[in-house]
C-alpha cells in the first residue's frame, strides 16, 4: 500500500493542508510586488489577440471521467468571476485572486472525502 499524503489521511488533515496552502499563497502574494488585474468590462473588445478553445470533458489515458465532470463544474462556477477581466500592461492575471480561496465551495464532509478515495 503506497504511503498517503498528509491531506489524504482524514477530512481534518485535508482541511489543515488546504488552510496551509491558502495561507502560503496569501503570504506570497502580499510579499510580491506584482499588480494583479481586477478591472472588468462588459464591452466586447474590438481586437482579439489570442483565442483558445478545448474540450472540457475528454478521456485521456486513465483519466477518471468523474474528475472531468468535477472540472467542468468548477469551470462553470468560476467562469463568471473571471469573464470580462481586463489585463492592462504590467498587470498579472491571477485566477486565485479573482475566484478567491474557494469560500464558495461546500465543506468537504466524510461522504465527499470517501468518494475521493475510491
Amino acid at each position: 500500500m503506497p504511503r498517503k499524503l498528509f491531506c489524504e489521511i482524514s477530512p481534518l488533515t485535508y482541511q489543515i493542508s488546504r488552510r496551509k496552502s491558502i495561507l502560503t499563497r496569501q503570504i506570497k502574494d502580499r510579499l510580491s510586488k506584482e499588480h494583479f488585474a481586477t478591472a472588468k468590462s462588459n464591452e466586447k473588445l474590438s481586437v482579439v489577440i489570442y483565442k483558445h478553445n478545448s474540450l472540457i470533458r475528454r478521456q485521456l489515458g486513465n483519466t477518471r471521467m468523474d474528475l472531468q465532470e468535477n472540472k467542468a463544474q468548477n469551470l462553470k462556477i468560476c467562469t463568471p468571476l473571471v469573464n470580462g477581466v481586463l489585463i492592462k500592461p504590467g498587470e498579472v492575471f491571477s485566477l486565485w485572486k479573482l475566484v478567491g480561496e474557494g469560500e464558495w465551495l461546500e465543506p468537504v464532509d466524510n461522504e465527499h472525502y470517501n468518494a475521493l478515495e475510491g
Side-chain angles (χ1 to χ4, degrees):
M1 179 177 193
R3 183 175 166 201
K4 287 186 174 186
L5 297 173
F6 179 73
C7 64
E8 296 173 326
I9 296 171
S10 73
L12 175 63
T13 60
Y14 173 83
Q15 289 300 329
I16 291 169
S17 184
R18 181 178 174 274
R19 291 303 308 163
K20 180 201 125 235
S21 294
I22 290 169
L23 183 60
T24 301
R25 173 61 68 139
Q26 288 174 337
I27 291 169
K28 180 183 171 225
D29 287 349
R30 289 219 170 98
L31 295 176
S32 170
K33 298 194 185 312
E34 295 174 328
H35 182 66
F36 297 101
T38 56
K40 289 187 176 186
S41 173
N42 291 329
E43 294 179 32
K44 265 201 159 197
L45 301 177
S46 59
V47 177
V48 175
I49 295 174
Y50 181 79
K51 186 174 182 177
H52 178 75
N53 190 12
S54 66
L55 295 172
I56 301 300
R57 295 172 190 88
R58 57 184 169 175
Q59 183 74 43
L60 297 172
N62 296 330
T63 303
R64 290 175 37 195
M65 289 311 290
D66 60 325
L67 298 179
Q68 294 292 309
E69 187 59 35
N70 290 347
K71 175 178 70 171
Q73 291 302 315
N74 289 341
L75 289 170
K76 185 177 178 181
I77 291 168
C78 74
T79 298
L81 300 172
V82 299
N83 194 30
V85 171
L86 299 174
I87 307 169
K88 299 173 186 170
E91 289 185 331
V92 174
F93 176 84
S94 171
L95 185 66
W96 181 270
K97 286 283 192 185
L98 295 167
V99 172
E101 300 167 2
E103 57 273 358
W104 41 268
L105 291 172
E106 293 180 21
V108 173
D109 58 27
N110 287 333
E111 180 183 331
H112 289 100
Y113 182 81
N114 292 335
L116 291 174
E117 289 185 324

